[in-house]
Amino acid sequence: QVQLVESGGGLVQPGGSLNLSCTASGNTFSAYVMAWYRQAPGKQRELVAYITSSGTTNYADFVKGRFTISKDNDKDTVHLQMNSLKPEDTAVYYCALAPSYTQVFWGQGTQVTVSS
């Protein structure tokens, strides 16, 4: 009933920037959390950042000062502005929408590769 589509990934040099987008369609919710996760090869999925329907944001320590999560005015799209990218940021980045603790919807993921 809910579809999430990520875009904006690609190959960048260390120190470069990318802008990821996640657009939600289908059912709408009055309260929710939207988050970006990432999963590197051979590693577990980890939380990168999240934003709530009220605008509260939080970031993992390893991206503070480099990444910014935001929403469009219509609140159907979430963005992740990624600056000062490092090779360690290489991963598949996934968008997630959680209306409650028991409901989580995932996007298909977008590949981010940081390499020289």
Side-chain angles (χ1 to χ4, degrees):
Q1 293 183 327
V2 173
Q3 298 84 42
L4 302 175
V5 179
E6 302 102 328
S7 63
L11 173 64
V12 297
Q13 298 285 315
S17 298
L18 283 174
N19 296 274
L20 305 185
S21 298
C22 173
T23 298
S25 62
N27 291 350
T28 59
F29 305 94
S30 59
Y32 58 84
V33 176
M34 294 193 73
W36 287 98
Y37 286 76
R38 70 186 188 186
Q39 187 166 21
K43 297 185 177 180
Q44 293 187 327
R45 190 171 299 184
E46 61 184 353
L47 177 67
V48 176
Y50 69 76
I51 187 167
T52 71
S53 48
S54 63
T56 300
T57 60
N58 204 0
Y59 300 89
D61 287 342
F62 52 81
V63 302
K64 285 183 178 178
R66 300 190 297 125
F67 293 6
T68 302
I69 190 169
S70 63
K71 298 185 296 179
D72 284 352
N73 289 336
D74 60 11
K75 299 183 178 181
D76 64 351
T77 300
V78 65
H79 304 277
L80 186 67
Q81 175 66 50
M82 309 166 67
N83 299 324
S84 302
L85 283 162
K86 307 174 181 178
E88 305 94 278
D89 296 318
T90 296
V92 177
Y93 283 70
Y94 297 91
C95 180
L97 168 63
S100 71
Y101 284 112
T102 59
Q103 289 181 284
V104 182
F105 303 94
W106 293 91
Q108 83 289 346
T110 185
Q111 176 70 48
V112 171
T113 302
V114 185
S115 176
S116 60

